[in-house]
Amino acid sequence: MNRAAPWGMRRLLNWIKEEYGDIPIYITENGVGLTNPKEEDTDRIFYHKTYINEALKAYRLDGVDLRGYVAWSLMDNFEWLNGYTVKFGLYHVDFNNTNRPRTARASARYYTEVITNNGMPLPKEDEFVYGSFPEGFIWSAASAAYQKNGIQKGAWRADGKGLSIWDTFSHTPLKIENNATGDVACDSYHKLAEDLVTLQNLGVSHYRFSISWSRILPDGTTRYINEAGLNYYVRLINALLAANIQPQVTIYHWDLPQALQDVGGWENETIVQRFKEYADVLFQRLGDKVKFWITLNEPFVIANQGYGYGTAAPGISSRPGTAPYIVGHNLIKAHAEAWHLYNDVYRTSQGGVISITISSDWAEPRDPSNQEDVEAARRYVQNQLPPKHPVWYLGVGAFKPLYQGMCVPCLISDHEWKLPSPYIPSSSQQFMGGWFAHPIFKNGDYNEVMKTRIRERSLAAGLSKSRREVKMKVSEASAGHLWATPKPEALGLSVSMYMQSGSPVHAVHELPEFTENEKKRINGTYDFFGFNHYTTVLAYNLNYPTANSSFDADRGVASITDRSWPDSGSYWLKITPFGFRRILNWLKEEYNDPPIYVTENGVSQREETDLNDTARIYYLRTYINEALKAVQDKVDLRGYTVWSAMDNFEWATGFSERFGLHFVNYSDPSLPRIPKASAKFYASVVRCNGFPDPATGPHACLQQPEVRQLAVQIWGTMQPLLGSQRSENSISTRTSTTLCPLLDAGPTISPVREQEVQFLGLMLSTTAAQTALNVLFSLMLLGVCGMAFLSYRYCKRSKQEKTQPSQLELSPVSSF
Ligand code: GAL
């Protein structure tokens, strides 16, 4: 199939209109040939969807006189030189059967829907709603230590910080895009005041940040507490409180002390006690001021990417069928121990809350009429029933207002916008969020689907429960110190394991089991549900070969995304606001209506240079609006946190993906934070506590707050002095964080393009013009001095000439 380029359809229709004088147009053929299409020909659905959508834009937006559309082809047929090898049909034809039976493909059903709706109406539930969040709703912004802070410049261990696994990982060649590291990142360790300004710009009431474990405990243990490191956090917390911003502290956001990794990291069960001791130090030393604790950020990512794929620190990928489960097991126990410690020892005196942050995408079945896909989506996160509308019909990109200037009024159906009840699932099988949420929020144990599938797959591989073989070389095992200390049993492995030096090691392939006591201890260790959410996928069943031993193989799900979903700067993140409301509703149903805090949500851009970040505004506006709808569905949503206040080190993609509401200019050593337009937008949502209906206005909160005069003056005075442009395409340093708490000042200015000015008849950049002006001024000064000097010499000389004769006259020797 040639690459689909649906935008060409709109352009061509417009061209015909212009070229031939607004004539009626009928699209008499449009379709795609596929070589071996399945009955679920999702590719064809995407093709027709995106092309018809462009045709609709030509009609609705551009006024093209479009009268009809014909899909090629109704059924597979003789495709000229390709014979019967290429198939264009919405209906499959069996050419091996003399009766030539026709079977409808998924694309036929999709096309029928388009015809029935005479287009692609925006489902009522996707429409924007006005309204406010409950009183006391928390608005926050999030960050993580390794992504922002930097270690001490030029000295890895200065100020007492120990190395973390992310220091090691990022310094390993080829692990991070462009070999970036977090050595400096946003240098937040030194730029506390600047960071505070970004938070004040957003007007948030809370700030979520994480503590770097190895900054407090350099070797991960309480043998030595690094006071300098602790002081940094004390200063940060004090500064936040002074600014009336409450801290939300994540105890662990992925940066394990390297010293602990050297003895197996999260695979070594002793980590549970280490983590508890570390948490104890934090409760003791910071707990009088911190009232909101998050034990772990996204255990799924720690286990699966850190110890399964190896795409995150510590980068272990050799035991994908075992390590993630062992790690997950220890993470759950560590969380539970920290929760109990706080609950038993600190809660009464300190009065805070503590829980865990779990991440999950939402998953829809790729083909809602296919039961296997429906079940795959359930497994992906947990989805009970097929949606009322097939997903390919929902959330059609072209009708989204505001996004990249596309704004197509659509054919709106008149049903209630409330979420139809079939979206709300109730039973449980889950692998992503559910892996961790089920034990903590439900019953202290893994969900049955996970347990059953992993058990069955192990058995199918021909291995008895007590003998699951996963070959691993001893060298790999000892490199991770995994098997040396402690004994396998202590690692939570419930089956035997053999280890012989120099020969393959037999490890288990099984989900570890909790003891009854552990289950009791884990169950209910939460005060709220901390939830990170970014995107939605389309899931379908995939049967991996039984020999494949990994989390993915156990889950048996593959996923794709709908081609009409808008992209972001991250390959995994498609802009799919509808999934946010659905998953919030699912959490409510699945976990018995817990108080939920969204602890991360946001979107990235690559090579972002324009401060007018409309795509991010679109994302935030629609996602926060879906959160509002969830509140109206009676989800107990207590807070929303945007990721992130400023651009930062985005793990394996380094600095290439920007998630910030403030632009960080990494090419300027002072790392200025410049507000993007989204900062201004988010600030207004925070001020208004939602989206007040303009029809009931005017609303004071929608007005921009008064700009601080002093800052404006400083800004005005400094502006010309700050332009040290390196080249046309480099980032200008003309804005400096300390000078711009002004939401009005920054966002409309591009950080890349400098203004051009006319200078002596030439068009020059302001910097070049400034330099030229300086040179000219110096030359003039030189000229003036030269002139003064010459005049002085001239005067002196003529004076001498005038006086000389009389002197001669008087001279006694003149007579010669
Ligand atoms: C989350 C993670 C954050 C941030 C964000 C954007 O999974 O907790 O640290 O990187 O994703 O990708």
Side-chain angles (χ1 to χ4, degrees):
M1 174 174 115
N2 287 336
R3 231 176 108 71
W7 43 265
M9 169 74 94
R10 179 177 175 187
R11 292 181 193 192
L12 204 50
L13 290 170
N14 270 284
W15 180 79
I16 295 172
K17 175 181 178 228
E18 295 308 316
E19 190 68 14
Y20 301 110
D22 203 6
I23 47 165
I25 304 175
Y26 292 84
I27 296 170
T28 42
E29 278 181 32
N30 175 242
V32 64
L34 303 171
T35 15
N36 261 323
K38 298 215 177 74
E39 213 177 279
E40 287 90 36
D41 53 345
T42 325
D43 276 340
R44 197 185 323 273
I45 291 177
F46 290 155
Y47 183 94
H48 283 292
K49 179 181 191 174
T50 49
Y51 274 77
I52 295 174
N53 197 242
E54 290 297 316
L56 190 57
K57 285 186 212 167
Y59 171 70
R60 299 296 294 262
L61 283 184
D62 312 331
V64 170
D65 187 5
L66 185 62
R67 304 274 178 97
Y69 174 91
V70 177
W72 182 273
S73 178
L74 180 61
M75 67 188 77
D76 297 339
N77 52 38
F78 179 77
E79 183 51 33
W80 308 116
L81 297 183
N82 291 314
Y84 296 99
T85 56
V86 173
K87 299 172 196 280
F88 278 79
L90 299 170
Y91 278 76
H92 162 79
V93 178
D94 184 354
F95 293 105
N96 296 321
N97 186 327
T98 44
N99 294 329
R100 299 290 189 266
R102 287 95 158 119
T103 325
R105 293 196 168 106
S107 56
R109 294 192 291 279
Y110 172 68
Y111 189 47
T112 307
E113 274 184 32
V114 176
I115 295 168
T116 314
N117 293 306
N118 194 22
M120 303 168 178
L122 182 73
K124 190 76 179 160
E125 62 267 19
D126 283 1
E127 280 174 33
F128 190 83
V129 296
Y130 291 106
S132 342
F133 285 86
E135 217 178 298
F137 192 79
I138 278 177
W139 293 99
S140 183
S143 69
Y146 187 75
Q147 295 181 273
K148 239 176 113 240
N149 286 1
I151 53 179
Q152 287 288 288
K153 273 185 202 160
W156 279 41
R157 286 177 184 271
D159 234 0
K161 181 187 174 296
L163 293 185
S164 83
I165 54 173
W166 269 96
D167 292 322
T168 312
F169 191 70
S170 68
H171 277 264
T172 310
L174 305 179
K175 295 289 184 194
I176 313 288
E177 196 170 329
N178 298 325
N179 285 321
T181 73
D183 288 4
V184 178
C186 307
D187 198 19
S188 287
Y189 191 72
H190 296 108
K191 295 191 177 302
L192 219 148
E194 286 89 333
D195 284 6
L196 207 58
V197 173
T198 64
L199 298 173
Q200 286 174 322
N201 280 350
L202 303 179
V204 288
S205 58
H206 289 65
Y207 175 48
R208 176 179 175 227
F209 60 91
S210 80
I211 308 255
S212 156
W213 187 338
S214 62
R215 199 182 280 290
I216 309 291
L217 308 177
D219 72 354
T221 73
T222 46
R223 254 197 302 259
Y224 171 70
I225 297 179
N226 178 29
E227 293 298 330
L230 253 175
N231 275 340
Y232 165 70
Y233 290 105
V234 171
R235 278 187 285 123
L236 170 61
I237 291 166
N238 286 342
L240 288 171
L241 292 174
N244 207 16
I245 298 171
Q246 304 304 313
Q248 294 173 301
V249 175
T250 312
I251 297 173
Y252 183 74
H253 199 128
W254 306 358
D255 48 352
L256 189 73
Q258 182 59 46
L260 294 182
Q261 184 54 44
D262 292 344
V263 292
W266 285 103
E267 286 182 275
N268 182 334
E269 199 193 14
T270 56
I271 191 89
V272 175
Q273 180 62 18
R274 297 282 96 84
F275 182 73
K276 184 178 169 187
E277 288 161 4
Y278 160 54
D280 199 13
V281 173
L282 301 188
F283 298 149
Q284 246 181 60
R285 303 292 294 273
L286 308 174
D288 56 334
K289 294 183 175 155
V290 175
K291 304 298 163 204
F292 195 106
W293 294 98
I294 293 167
T295 52
L296 305 169
N297 179 68
E298 300 190 357
F300 177 83
V301 175
I302 303 170
N304 214 31
Q305 291 185 15
Y307 295 80
Y309 307 141
T311 49
I316 290 170
S317 57
S318 50
R319 305 180 277 287
T322 50
Y325 297 129
I326 295 165
V327 166
H329 208 64
N330 289 330
L331 284 164
I332 293 168
K333 292 205 271 190
H335 155 79
E337 286 312 314
W339 187 91
H340 278 292
L341 174 68
Y342 190 79
N343 195 48
D344 300 345
V345 182
Y346 297 98
R347 189 189 291 282
T348 321
S349 56
Q350 298 186 348
V353 288
I354 179 165
S355 209
I356 188 169
T357 274
I358 287 174
S359 55
S360 189
D361 302 337
W362 179 242
E364 292 282 351
R366 179 185 60 177
D367 178 358
S369 64
N370 178 327
Q371 190 54 26
E372 278 200 334
D373 287 7
V374 173
E375 278 164 21
R378 287 181 197 172
R379 281 201 303 282
Y380 190 95
V381 35
Q382 164 60 354
N383 184 13
Q384 163 68 5
L385 293 165
K388 193 165 146 195
H389 308 294
V391 73
W392 8 265
Y393 162 66
L394 292 161
V396 178
F399 299 115
K400 314 276 196 232
L402 240 167
Y403 184 69
Q404 290 181 349
M406 297 189 294
C407 181
V408 187
C410 46
L411 313 167
I412 294 165
S413 49
D414 52 6
H415 58 84
E416 260 284 280
W417 67 263
K418 273 192 99 42
L419 193 68
S421 55
Y423 289 128
I424 303 169
S426 64
S427 76
S428 73
Q429 308 106 6
Q430 63 269 57
F431 265 71
M432 194 175 181
W435 176 359
F436 298 92
H438 199 277
I440 295 166
F441 293 86
K442 284 209 108 158
N443 67 359
D445 198 7
Y446 299 112
N447 63 75
E448 285 307 317
V449 166
M450 254 188 109
K451 291 202 290 190
T452 314
R453 278 189 73 93
I454 295 171
R455 193 181 311 123
E456 279 173 1
R457 276 185 53 81
S458 299
L459 291 170
L463 309 166
S464 75
K465 183 172 187 280
S466 57
R467 285 277 196 93
R468 314 281 155 74
E469 291 186 48
V470 175
K471 294 209 168 140
M472 185 179 64
K473 292 201 188 82
V474 166
S475 56
E476 281 170 357
S478 48
H481 299 270
L482 168 61
W483 312 112
T485 49
K487 289 262 178 290
E489 293 75 26
L491 287 166
L493 308 180
S494 55
V495 294
S496 59
M497 187 184 70
Y498 308 91
M499 177 174 167
Q500 299 153 18
S501 187
S503 61
V505 169
H506 300 262
V508 288
H509 171 79
E510 189 187 29
L511 192 61
E513 287 165 12
F514 293 118
T515 64
E516 287 311 310
N517 261 346
E518 285 171 344
K519 286 183 200 166
K520 280 195 203 116
R521 202 146 169 86
I522 291 163
N523 188 16
T525 51
Y526 68 91
D527 295 344
F528 57 87
F529 199 112
F531 182 52
N532 290 356
H533 175 77
Y534 288 87
T535 198
T536 291
V537 299
L538 300 179
Y540 60 98
N541 183 62
L542 185 65
N543 295 325
Y544 286 72
T546 38
N548 186 331
S549 146
S550 68
F551 167 84
D552 282 326
D554 290 337
R555 182 163 69 168
V557 178
S559 66
I560 53 166
T561 54
D562 184 322
R563 247 186 259 146
S564 68
W565 293 345
D567 281 328
S568 72
S570 310
Y571 74 92
W572 54 269
L573 203 174
K574 303 291 168 195
I575 303 184
T576 48
F578 61 89
F580 197 19
R581 178 183 180 191
R582 293 179 193 194
I583 199 161
L584 286 169
N585 270 282
W586 175 72
L587 292 180
K588 172 187 160 71
E589 295 305 312
E590 184 68 14
Y591 300 114
N592 195 22
D593 200 10
I596 302 173
Y597 290 88
V598 170
T599 42
E600 277 181 36
N601 175 246
V603 71
S604 62
Q605 291 296 313
R606 265 182 178 257
E607 284 159 31
E608 188 172 21
T609 51
D610 194 350
L611 290 177
N612 194 15
D613 53 341
T614 47
R616 186 169 290 105
I617 293 179
Y618 170 72
Y619 182 99
L620 295 178
R621 183 172 185 269
T622 49
Y623 271 71
I624 297 174
N625 202 246
E626 292 298 313
L628 178 62
K629 291 175 196 170
V631 167
Q632 296 175 354
D633 297 334
K634 303 268 179 298
V635 172
D636 186 5
L637 186 63
R638 307 267 179 106
Y640 173 90
T641 309
V642 73
W643 182 274
S644 178
M646 69 182 77
D647 298 332
N648 55 49
F649 178 86
E650 178 51 24
W651 308 114
T653 57
F655 297 102
S656 316
E657 293 175 10
R658 293 175 179 268
F659 274 86
L661 272 57
H662 286 76
F663 184 91
V664 176
N665 183 358
Y666 299 115
S667 52
D668 179 337
S670 70
L671 297 167
R673 289 91 155 111
I674 309 162
K676 302 178 191 176
S678 57
K680 189 170 171 175
F681 169 76
Y682 186 58
S684 94
V685 176
V686 172
R687 269 197 313 277
C688 296
N689 196 30
F691 307 97
D693 188 347
T696 62
H699 302 280
C701 66
L702 288 172
Q703 307 303 314
Q704 284 308 307
E706 261 183 37
V707 169
R708 280 172 248 171
Q709 284 313 309
L710 177 65
V712 172
Q713 272 165 22
I714 299 173
W715 171 264
T717 336
M718 295 299 287
Q719 207 172 2
L721 304 177
L722 289 170
S724 66
Q725 195 78 2
R726 279 162 195 80
S727 75
E728 259 290 279
N729 289 325
S730 72
I731 304 295
S732 163
T733 55
R734 60 193 299 280
T735 38
S736 161
T737 330
T738 41
L739 305 175
C740 56
L742 329 167
L743 292 175
D744 280 339
T748 49
I749 304 160
S750 160
V752 172
R753 290 211 156 265
E754 230 192 343
Q755 265 186 355
E756 288 198 323
V757 291
Q758 254 210 338
F759 186 79
L760 298 179
L762 298 171
M763 284 308 286
L764 295 180
S765 71
T766 45
T767 314
Q770 247 177 43
T771 315
L773 190 69
N774 289 343
V775 170
L776 211 69
F777 182 69
S778 315
L779 286 175
M780 268 175 61
L781 207 69
L782 214 70
V784 170
C785 292
M787 287 288 284
F789 180 69
L790 286 176
S791 326
Y792 166 72
R793 289 294 302 260
Y794 177 75
C795 290
K796 202 170 166 196
R797 198 170 179 156
S798 43
K799 217 171 169 186
Q800 272 173 1
E801 272 170 11
K802 270 188 205 157
T803 51
Q804 251 170 7
S806 53
Q807 273 169 3
L808 282 175
E809 277 165 23
L810 297 171
S811 166
V813 288
S814 62
S815 54
F816 286 107

